[in-house]
Amino acid sequence: MKVLILGSGVIGVTSAYYLARAGHEVTVVDRQPEPALETSFANAGEVSPGYSSPWAGPGVPVKAVKWLLMKHGPLVIRPKLDPVMWVWLLKMLRNCTSERYAVNKSRMIPIAEYSRDCLRDLRRDIGIQYDERSQGTLQLFRYQSQLDGTAEDIAVLKQYGVPFEVLSREGCIAVEPALAGVKEKFAGGLRLPQDETGDCHMFTQALAKHAQALGVRFMFNTGIDRIVTDGARVSGVVTRAGTLQADAYVLALGSWSSRVAAPLGISLPVYPVKGYSITVPIKDASGAPESTVMDESYKVAITRLGNRIRVGGTAEISGYSSKLYDARRATLDHSLTDLFPRGGDLSKATFWSGLRPMTPDGPPVIGPTQYANLHLNTGHGTLGWTMSCGSGRVLADMLSGKKPDIDVSALSVDRYNYRFG
């Protein structure tokens, strides 16, 4: 088939690669001049199936109030006169129960673990490199009360067979030696040894070249105006380069997916939640992290990417604004310098923000719509990098008429009480 993919972030590019590998003629359209220049550009760098959990969970509403009052809190809400924002927030609150959390997490873990396996296969098959490391993730607890409160998380990890290690202060230092100099600042940690790290932007750009070698055509600097339908099918996509037509279409526009889908009558509750990061050149390798350290108190991830440190965090609900706020950088600076004071040169740091495409329940939206030739691959939130390869592989199988290796029927847009026809 001829397949047209809207979006060249990590989700769009992985979809293009797997579709081309399956023998389809693929075109990718994006308004940017290169792949992965928006949300995929400078994320935290984690490939973390073990942390594939919904943000909406029991206790989150109470924690949110605390976070909003913290100087370096992980949550920021900038209210707007936007009913879509408030409806999305209400839907998220509705998912903050133990029952819904369990269901939503059960939908996220399989695609995340499958994706990690697909990524490993990809490394083996094509030798792709992206400053990857396979040294796990360390969730660092500054207070004993945090460490004592891990029983519920550990129960979930056991339920899904995710390997883990509960570490003392000395155990944390054994896997992250640079923490020895600040050992009085934390009580212990929870380590997920199978998690990985890597530069999502570097990966996406490299995979796009492999996709091009398979015949994928990329149309950059091409704005997308609207999708045109003819009854039960999509008949074309109106772009700044004219109307493009194909046999099948994939909507992978991240936070903008819901805006493009709405005129088609597709109710897609994907809303942007902004995250921030700084990228810091390593000054002293012995003082830098070995892999990812998640500072649990501030929900900040500190990740080693080659000769750089990526520090990512904050959930800011402020619509589609990409404005950089100095207060958000201060939080990232504080976490890095507090735990790895010798590691990076902050004077040479670059500051970035990206819009995570979040669903109110947590799982992404992958699969068909009521239009026979339109599929969705969006709404991955903070886990787009983690779930990208698996999502692209599953989507390619669907469009190729093959049964995917894992059951993703629960990831359909149909779960939002939407009924085809």
Side-chain angles (χ1 to χ4, degrees):
M1 294 188 299
K2 290 184 178 180
V3 183
L4 182 64
I5 298 176
L6 309 184
S8 70
V10 68
I11 300 298
V13 171
T14 51
S15 299
Y17 173 80
Y18 284 110
L19 280 162
R21 201 173 74 171
H24 301 291
E25 183 180 332
V26 183
T27 300
V28 180
V29 184
D30 198 287
R31 65 184 179 182
Q32 294 290 351
E34 297 177 4
L37 290 187
E38 295 194 21
T39 306
S40 301
F41 183 71
N43 62 26
E46 299 173 87
V47 178
S48 300
Y51 283 112
S52 295
S53 302
W55 282 18
V60 166
V62 174
K63 291 179 182 178
V65 174
K66 175 186 174 183
W67 291 334
L68 288 169
L69 298 175
M70 287 172 58
K71 178 181 178 181
H72 294 298
L75 176 65
V76 177
I77 299 178
R78 302 188 191 279
K80 292 184 175 292
L81 295 175
D82 178 6
V84 176
M85 171 191 284
W86 298 107
V87 168
W88 186 89
L89 282 168
L90 287 172
K91 288 180 177 179
M92 183 177 178
L93 287 173
R94 187 166 170 254
N95 280 278
C96 291
T97 66
S98 297
E99 294 76 16
R100 289 178 183 267
Y101 178 85
V103 169
N104 293 330
K105 187 175 180 70
S106 72
R107 293 171 173 173
M108 298 172 74
I109 289 287
I111 186 66
E113 294 194 328
Y114 177 64
S115 186
R116 178 199 57 215
D117 294 342
C118 289
L119 177 60
R120 290 174 176 174
D121 290 344
L122 205 59
R123 283 204 302 267
R124 184 192 66 237
D125 294 344
I126 64 176
I128 191 168
Q129 296 182 347
Y130 47 92
D131 279 345
E132 71 280 1
R133 289 191 172 209
S134 300
Q135 295 176 234
T137 296
L138 175 64
Q139 186 177 13
L140 196 70
F141 302 116
R142 290 175 178 265
Y143 306 106
Q144 186 63 41
S145 59
Q146 293 174 326
L147 189 59
D148 294 340
T150 59
E152 189 172 324
D153 290 335
I154 288 173
V156 173
L157 294 173
K158 288 180 177 178
Q159 178 185 351
Y160 292 101
V162 178
F164 68 91
E165 300 169 342
V166 178
L167 300 179
S168 65
R169 181 181 286 123
E170 294 305 319
C172 293
I173 294 170
V175 295
E176 289 288 352
L179 292 174
V182 294
K183 61 182 180 181
E184 74 283 355
K185 294 185 178 181
F186 60 92
L190 179 63
R191 181 170 180 259
L192 303 180
Q194 290 194 354
D195 283 2
E196 302 182 2
T197 58
D199 188 318
C200 181
H201 173 254
M202 186 184 296
F203 168 85
T204 308
Q205 294 234 327
L207 190 64
K209 292 178 180 178
H210 284 282
Q212 283 180 310
L214 292 174
V216 174
R217 177 190 179 202
F218 286 90
M219 295 180 64
F220 294 117
N221 299 303
T222 304
I224 298 164
D225 294 331
R226 67 185 185 278
I227 296 175
V228 181
T229 61
D230 180 12
R233 297 179 64 84
V234 169
S235 58
V237 176
V238 179
T239 74
R240 304 298 164 81
T243 300
L244 305 178
Q245 296 180 313
D247 300 313
Y249 301 82
V250 177
L251 182 57
L253 287 172
S255 296
W256 284 267
S257 298
S258 54
R259 288 188 167 185
V260 174
L264 306 179
I266 299 173
S267 180
L268 182 60
V270 173
Y271 195 77
V273 176
K274 183 161 62 175
Y276 292 85
S277 76
I278 55 173
T279 303
V280 186
I282 289 177
K283 180 172 58 177
D284 179 350
S286 67
E290 291 295 322
S291 187
T292 289
V293 174
M294 172 64 73
D295 186 346
E296 178 62 20
S297 293
Y298 304 113
K299 302 293 184 181
V300 168
I302 306 171
T303 301
R304 174 78 163 264
L305 295 176
N307 59 0
R308 301 158 295 147
I309 302 172
R310 175 73 48 75
V311 187
T314 301
E316 180 180 303
I317 301 172
S318 58
Y320 287 80
S321 167
S322 58
K323 182 177 179 180
L324 293 168
Y325 290 93
D326 289 340
R328 296 303 98 212
R329 170 163 180 174
T331 297
L332 305 178
D333 289 358
H334 170 72
S335 188
L336 175 63
T337 56
D338 202 42
L339 295 177
F340 298 96
R342 298 183 295 106
D345 186 352
L346 271 180
S347 68
K348 297 179 181 177
T350 55
F351 188 28
W352 172 88
S353 73
L355 302 179
R356 311 178 185 105
M358 299 286 294
T359 59
D361 52 343
V365 184
I366 305 171
T369 67
Q370 79 267 35
Y371 298 96
N373 59 343
L374 176 63
H375 278 64
L376 303 172
N377 197 359
T378 187
H380 296 75
T382 59
L383 296 164
W385 181 204
T386 294
M387 296 181 174
S388 57
C389 289
S391 298
R393 175 73 180 271
V394 161
L395 188 81
D397 286 343
M398 286 181 176
L399 289 176
S400 301
K402 293 175 57 179
K403 182 180 179 181
D405 293 334
I406 61 170
D407 181 9
V408 293
S409 57
L411 302 182
S412 167
V413 71
D414 191 43
R415 72 179 188 265
Y416 297 114
N417 297 318
Y418 179 85
R419 292 293 178 263
F420 295 163

